[in-house]
Amino acid sequence: MNKKIIIATYIGLFISAGIASTHVPTEKHLWKNLKVMPKNIDEEQMERVMYRYTKQLGVTCLFCHPQTKPGITPVRIDFATDELPQKIIARDMMRMTDKINSKYFDYKNDYGFKSFFHLVISCSTCHRGLSKPNNQRLFFKEY
């Protein structure tokens, strides 16, 4: 009787471990209002791209994306809306850099990890950590 209980316990533990280690695929995130980036971009890629933009422009998410209900904490951000003009400008800038990189550097941005290792035109080329680039320091040298 004891052997049967021990065997049943081991079988139960084995089945439980198998079920626990089974990877359940998460739902694919459906993005709303993507007009430049690929519609099939995953959350990790999107986070990486947006993080890079915030660093290259010296801004936070709220620069392009407004709060849904200002004044309420925690802050909720409406990523889909085109309410702020900065978001429209950002899209135009993304198209511009993609066009320059494609034409002059034979590079197509896939918004993936490998795009970090190409020496091409990016936001920081002109912005250098500023929300509005001060291009005078790019073209004029003070002597």
Side-chain angles (χ1 to χ4, degrees):
M1 185 72 172
N2 267 347
K3 283 185 179 182
K4 288 182 181 180
I5 293 173
I6 292 172
I7 291 172
T9 304
Y10 279 126
I11 290 172
L13 287 173
F14 181 74
I15 291 172
S16 298
I19 291 171
S21 67
T22 304
H23 176 69
V24 178
T26 56
E27 246 183 63
K28 187 89 171 155
H29 191 82
L30 298 176
W31 303 104
K32 297 176 186 169
N33 201 17
L34 285 184
K35 296 183 179 174
V36 178
M37 288 194 264
K39 306 249 186 276
N40 64 347
I41 190 168
D42 64 36
E43 281 190 71
E44 184 181 343
Q45 286 174 304
M46 182 66 85
E47 289 275 334
R48 200 177 309 129
V49 169
M50 291 296 130
Y51 178 78
R52 190 168 71 183
Y53 289 161
T54 61
K55 293 302 171 201
Q56 292 179 354
L57 294 163
V59 297
T60 65
C61 302
L62 291 171
F63 186 73
C64 293
H65 306 286
Q67 292 183 41
T68 54
K69 293 180 181 174
I72 296 176
T73 53
V75 174
R76 302 267 186 229
I77 300 175
D78 186 356
F79 293 108
T81 186
D82 288 340
E83 180 181 321
L84 297 178
Q86 292 89 326
K87 185 173 179 183
I88 308 301
I89 293 167
R91 280 194 186 123
D92 290 341
M93 294 289 159
M94 292 165 69
R95 287 183 189 104
M96 177 190 71
T97 56
D98 285 348
K99 189 174 181 180
I100 291 169
N101 289 329
S102 174
K103 183 175 181 178
Y104 295 105
F105 300 106
D106 194 30
Y107 174 74
K108 179 171 179 6
N109 191 354
D110 66 350
Y111 297 95
F113 188 67
K114 68 180 182 180
S115 67
F116 286 93
F117 300 107
H118 283 83
L119 296 175
V120 294
I121 302 299
S122 70
C123 303
S124 61
T125 304
C126 297
H127 283 268
R128 298 177 182 212
L130 302 171
S131 61
K132 291 187 178 183
N134 180 0
N135 288 333
Q136 289 180 358
R137 62 189 171 143
L138 291 176
F139 303 112
F140 302 108
K141 208 174 196 180
E142 292 183 18
Y143 291 97

